[in-house]
Amino acid sequence: MNFQMSEEQAMLRDQARALLAERSAPDRLRRLIEQGAEWDELLWRELGTLGFLGAAIPEPHGGLGLTALDLSVISEALGNANAALPFFSSIVLAAEAIRLGGSEDQQSRWLPRLALGDTVATFAYCEGAAGFEADAIHCTMASGTLSGTKTPVADGGIAQIAVVLARSGGAPALALVELDQPGVTRTRLESFDQLRAHYTLSFDGAVAEPLDTGGDVIARLFDGAAVQAAFEAVGGAEACLYMARDYALERRIFGRPLAGYQAIKHKLADILVSVELARSSAHFAAWAASHDPDALPVAAAGARLTATDAFERAARENLQVHGGIGYTWEADCHFYYRRERTLALSLGGREHWADRLIAHIGSGNVDVMPQREAA
């Protein structure tokens, strides 16, 4: 397996990072928070116009039809910039759910609009502390209507549609709901991440359309999202690493750069090792998503766990290297620490993915190593 980026992927990475470095700089993020904005709408429109939002959406529906590994290049760039965008909710989760389980009419109606950024979607799966395990789903769909409550829902205030994980006929199901209707109530929650707003969505007989959940659609959806979340975490962890390094090179203590102290060198080296291990795991998982679906459950869980740990280490050590100034509004550390804490709980925390990893490895039916291609 070759983890080297193709020329096209490297070009996509460079374009995404250059654009985000200019449009999503820390000063821009501070202004958004001070204005009470829930997202960077102008940047979102620009990403839609340039085709980034439609990267993994099929060409017949207005996208580019690229692979999971191509999409991961964008996810990593967004994590690196800590962008205030609903990309994970709208593109990674909701658009993919419609692509996997939507009818031809549902796909042709919504995917082109999601690819352009004209419509924002969210994916509602949690029900409070109960999470989203099958026995914890109480939101129900019956006779074309949806009732129940989902909380927290990322980007629930700016979305026009939601894909909701519900229960239908005693089994987990996916419902497509337009949020601007009388049967839907949105309540904003106090979010730790000031650049990713969360809501409670309450449904009281809201009109809903079912999506097809045959063929393990829900499991494939969560595994694919775990891969993209891993790349977002890798991007954020790398940003923390270089932020800590740059500060250590500039800061002088007792007449010498902070970076000259062995303890600081060890911290930075440990972050680098964890980031590169997480990146390798994430690359394998993205490869499995396109080439070896049987290996994806284990690969996705492994990538999710290693990337979560890498981002947590990087965000915490970045604060430690900065010292007291790292906790101030003027420093940029808090952007990544807040995003790390939020991302670590998205799609379920460590326990969920560790249990999933153990369950699949313990079944003995999964080959976690890629097959050697014929010469």
Side-chain angles (χ1 to χ4, degrees), residues 56-145:
I57 291 176
E59 291 185 72
H61 297 298
L64 301 179
L66 301 180
T67 67
L69 190 55
D70 298 317
L71 184 66
S72 71
V73 173
I74 301 174
S75 293
E76 185 175 343
L78 291 170
N80 191 266
N82 202 73
L85 298 172
F87 186 84
F88 190 72
S89 300
S90 189
I91 303 301
V92 173
L93 281 167
E96 182 67 2
I98 296 172
R99 186 188 74 82
L100 290 173
S103 65
E104 181 59 34
D105 175 67
Q106 290 168 331
Q107 291 181 13
S108 61
R109 192 185 344 150
W110 295 112
L111 291 182
R113 295 162 67 175
L114 291 169
L116 284 175
D118 292 339
T119 295
V120 175
T122 188
F123 187 80
Y125 52 94
C126 281
E127 297 191 12
F132 56 93
E133 300 293 345
D135 58 358
I137 302 173
H138 302 291
C139 196
T140 58
M141 179 173 59
S143 302
T145 62

Side-chain angles (χ1 to χ4, degrees), residues 24 238 300 342:
S24 189
E238 184 182 64
T342 301

Side-chain angles (χ1 to χ4, degrees), residues 148-363:
T149 299
K150 289 291 183 178
T151 186
V153 180
D155 307 303
I158 59 176
Q160 289 83 49
I161 62 172
V163 176
V164 182
L165 180 61
R167 183 176 291 278
S168 178
L174 294 176
L176 181 60
V177 185
E178 295 189 46
L179 297 177
D180 293 327
Q181 59 171 296
V184 179
T185 302
R186 316 188 208 198
T187 305
R188 185 168 181 176
L189 303 173
E190 184 176 350
S191 301
F192 183 65
D193 187 344
Q194 297 166 295
L195 296 169
R196 185 163 288 176
H198 288 74
Y199 279 73
T200 292
L201 299 185
S202 298
F203 305 98
D204 185 9
V207 177
E209 301 176 14
L211 298 180
D212 183 6
T213 55
D216 295 326
V217 163
I218 295 176
R220 289 162 56 199
L221 175 65
F222 275 96
D223 285 338
V227 176
Q228 299 305 319
F231 273 101
E232 183 178 347
V234 167
E238 184 182 64
C240 291
L241 169 62
Y242 288 114
M243 191 188 306
R245 181 205 63 181
D246 292 346
Y247 180 79
L249 288 170
E250 294 173 2
R251 181 77 164 92
R252 299 185 68 85
I253 297 179
F254 302 118
R256 61 185 293 193
L258 179 61
Y261 291 90
Q262 191 172 30
I264 298 299
K265 294 178 182 179
H266 286 170
K267 284 181 181 291
L268 297 178
D270 287 344
I271 298 173
L272 177 61
V273 170
S274 63
V275 169
E276 292 307 315
L277 285 174
R279 194 193 307 277
S280 296
S281 295
H283 270 278
F284 172 54
W287 176 88
S290 300
H291 298 90
D292 192 355
D294 290 339
L296 179 58
V298 169
R304 169 72 174 158
L305 290 167
T306 55
T308 298
D309 289 344
F311 198 5
E312 179 180 3
R313 176 193 290 269
R316 289 180 182 276
E317 294 290 16
N318 184 33
L319 279 168
Q320 292 296 319
V321 170
H322 278 74
I325 197 173
Y327 292 84
T328 65
W329 174 251
E330 289 73 17
D332 300 334
C333 306
H334 62 94
F335 293 130
Y336 292 92
Y337 183 75
R338 292 174 186 273
R339 181 59 52 86
E340 181 274 318
R341 288 289 80 200
T342 301
L343 190 59
L345 296 176
S346 300
L347 301 178
R350 284 188 182 86
E351 184 178 355
H352 169 80
W353 289 99
D355 288 346
R356 184 166 173 77
L357 178 64
I358 293 168
H360 279 279
I361 292 178
S363 68

